[in-house]
């Protein structure tokens, strides 16, 4: 792998120990995946924030890095294990909270923006078409590759942090044109409804695995695209997709000879049935990926004037910025549940407080059984909210 003189000197430790470690990791990744060089990035997005997922080993690594490391590009952070202000209301233990706050502080010390959200592109970190970036968080990086036309691999937490510290990423995988081309054409007819896009993403992920789908017959808005990207990434490791007539790279693609697959209503219903393992939730969790401003408005519009009659906890997970933009909507939603920021139903330790979680997100329903010991009810948000009336 070719390194510039400056990159060589970083690797020799002439710019400090943390930079050396970061460069060592990038070079190792580059060699494994056959990169020829490092390319400058415009932003990074880091996962590995919840104390539940990174544990003591993760904190030790961050303590070491934070001694002298600083990120040199715009860098944002994925959700943590709790709302920084409302962790007691979530039933999070004090020991967990202290560790979690330390993790966020360590990232902050390195210059990372600590608005913990999995929708950075809706909250101030929105790359442009053609930008090279290093993003972890499978749903966000797929959205950035596909809907925004930026270029990132499916980075791990340490790899994204190393790229943020150096300001570069090894050029392989989805940085290269040849790996962004479609491998399957998906034809689907959907209702104009968020749940349908979640189920379509699940079906494509399950059926096609780590493919590059090219969709015909759909035109997702931001909310539909983000939930579809999340489901495809969780069920099948999809990191980029194209939509005919919509996504930035869709127009110049050659589809000759590519396999065509139709996804119909029967398959989507099957996905919903497979992800549903219980009927009576003790938690309804919406906002996977984090709710956008328009979703907050839609949910508040539906709930305004209604009354909660059933004692089922509801979480509306969003980013701190979106919550700030939606004070009226937050007031309506708070009559029914908690509008939580910084966190989500999967990375919070809900296994200590809940047994059955309902969500409209197939991504959440993929992960909740394994990561949170939950049974799941997968259904659209309005049907779930009707359960508390
Ligand atoms: Fe975001 Fe958590 Fe879902 S990080 S995409 S809300 S699992």
């Amino acid at each position: 792998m070719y390194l510039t003189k400056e990159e060589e000197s970083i690797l020799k430790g002439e710019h400090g120990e943390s930079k050396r470690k970061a460069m060592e990791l990038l070079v190792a990744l580059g060699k494994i995946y056959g990169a020829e060089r490092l390319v400058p990035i415009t932003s990074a997005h880091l996962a590995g924030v919840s104390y539940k997922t990174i544990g003591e080993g993760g904190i030790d690594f961050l303590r070491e890095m934070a001694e002298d490391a600083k990120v040199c590009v715009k860098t944002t952070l994925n959700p943590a294990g709790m709302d920084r202000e409302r962790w007691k209301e979530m039933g999070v233990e004090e020991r967990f909270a202290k560790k979690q706050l330390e993790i966020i502080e360590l990232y902050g010390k390195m210059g990372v923006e600590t608005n913990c959200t999995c929708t950075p592109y809706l909250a101030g970190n929105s790359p442009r078409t053609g930008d090279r970036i290093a993003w972890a968080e499978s749903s966000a990086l797929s959205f950035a590759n596909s809907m925004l036309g930026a270029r990132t691999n499916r980075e791990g937490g340490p790899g994204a942090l190393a790229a943020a510290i150096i300001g570069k990423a090894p050029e392989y995988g989805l940085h290269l044109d040849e790996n962004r081309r479609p491998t399957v054409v998906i034809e689907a007819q959907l209702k104009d409804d968020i749940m349908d896009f979640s189920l379509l993403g699940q079906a494509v992920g399950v059926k096609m695995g780590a493919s590059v789908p090219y969709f015909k017959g759909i035109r997702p808005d931001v909310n539909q695209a983000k939930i579809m990207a999340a489901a495809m990434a969780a069920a099948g490791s999809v990191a980029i997709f194209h939509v005919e007539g919509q996504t930035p790279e869709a127009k110049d693609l050659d589809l000759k000879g590519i396999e065509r697959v139709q996804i119909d209503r029967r398959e989507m219903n099957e996905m919903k049935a497979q992800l549903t393992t219980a009927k009576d939730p003790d938690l309804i969790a919406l906002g996977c990926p984090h709710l956008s401003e328009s979703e907050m408005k839609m949910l508040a519009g539906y709930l305004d004037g209604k009354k909660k009659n059933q004692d089922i906890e509801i979480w509306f997970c969003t980013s701190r910025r979106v919550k700030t933009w939606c004070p009226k909507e937050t007031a309506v939603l708070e009559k029914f549940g908690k509008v939580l920021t910084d966190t989500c139903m999967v990375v919070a330790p809900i296994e200590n407080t809940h047994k059955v979680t309902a969500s409209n997100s197939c991504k959440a329903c993929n992960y909740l059984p394994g990561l949170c010991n939950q049974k799941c009810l997968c259904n659209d948000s309005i049907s779930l909210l009707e359960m508390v009336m």
Side-chain angles (χ1 to χ4, degrees), residues 78-79 118 137 139 287-290 344-346 363:
N78 226 30
C118 52
E137 172 44 44
S139 69
C288 171
H290 275 176
C344 83
M345 64 301 278
V346 170
K363 174 175 177 176

Side-chain angles (χ1 to χ4, degrees), residues 29 64 73 80 113 332:
L29 284 170
E64 247 175 61
V73 292
E113 292 176 21
V332 173

Side-chain angles (χ1 to χ4, degrees), residues 187-191 196 200 216-218 263-265 268:
E187 290 167 354
Q189 299 287 325
L190 302 188
K191 286 185 280 169
D196 263 15
L200 175 63
K216 279 175 175 274
I218 63 170
I263 305 280
D264 59 21
R265 171 83 26 211
M268 286 162 54

Side-chain angles (χ1 to χ4, degrees), residues 84-303:
R84 266 173 282 187
E85 280 147 24
R86 303 183 73 180
W87 54 270
K88 280 193 184 146
E89 292 171 62
M90 293 172 66
V92 171
E93 289 171 6
E94 191 161 349
R95 181 181 167 276
F96 183 103
K98 277 192 182 147
K99 299 279 185 186
Q100 186 61 74
L101 292 172
E102 183 187 352
I103 291 169
I104 296 171
E105 205 180 298
L106 288 167
Y107 278 118
K109 201 174 156 203
M110 289 188 266
V112 177
E113 292 176 21
T114 56
N115 173 33
C116 303
T117 180
C118 52
T119 55
Y121 48 87
L122 299 178
N125 185 1
S126 185
R128 286 167 308 180
T129 300
D131 278 0
R132 310 298 193 114
I133 58 176
W135 281 24
E137 172 44 44
S138 59
S139 69
L141 69 89
S142 176
F143 188 97
N145 270 325
S146 314
M147 299 299 287
L148 306 178
R151 293 186 173 218
T152 177
N153 281 312
R154 195 173 163 135
E155 302 286 356
L161 177 59
I165 291 167
I166 301 296
K168 293 179 181 178
E171 190 182 41
Y172 66 89
L174 294 177
H175 285 288
L176 304 171
D177 289 347
E178 61 262 34
N179 300 316
R180 300 173 70 84
R181 292 187 191 124
T183 57
V184 60
V185 174
I186 306 284
E187 290 167 354
Q189 299 287 325
L190 302 188
K191 286 185 280 169
D192 191 26
D193 148 324
I194 290 179
M195 185 73 216
D196 263 15
F197 283 87
S198 187
L199 292 170
L200 175 63
Q202 179 73 13
V204 173
V206 167
K207 235 176 148 164
M208 307 311 302
S211 54
V212 180
Y214 180 101
F215 288 97
K216 279 175 175 274
I218 63 170
R219 201 174 177 86
D221 64 19
V222 167
N223 300 325
Q224 292 161 344
K226 77 179 166 67
I227 204 164
M228 182 174 84
M232 273 193 290
S237 307
V238 173
I240 181 171
F241 59 90
H242 305 282
V243 182
E244 186 176 53
Q246 184 178 16
T247 52
E249 293 169 42
K251 56 184 177 307
D252 303 321
L253 297 170
D254 181 6
L255 303 177
K256 263 190 240 120
I258 294 177
E259 180 187 6
R260 287 177 182 252
V261 171
Q262 290 200 335
I263 305 280
D264 59 21
R265 171 83 26 211
R266 182 188 53 80
E267 275 169 289
M268 286 162 54
N269 288 343
E270 254 175 50
M271 294 299 131
K272 195 166 159 185
Q274 277 171 17
L275 292 170
T276 297
T277 50
K279 278 193 184 141
D280 299 314
D282 51 41
L283 173 65
I284 295 171
L286 303 176
C288 171
H290 275 176
L291 294 169
S292 67
E293 192 177 352
S294 58
E295 286 175 305
M296 292 280 283
K297 286 189 165 53
M298 187 276 286
L299 292 169
Y302 170 73
L303 289 173

Side-chain angles (χ1 to χ4, degrees), residues 91 210 221 343 387:
D221 64 19
T343 190
M387 296 178 83

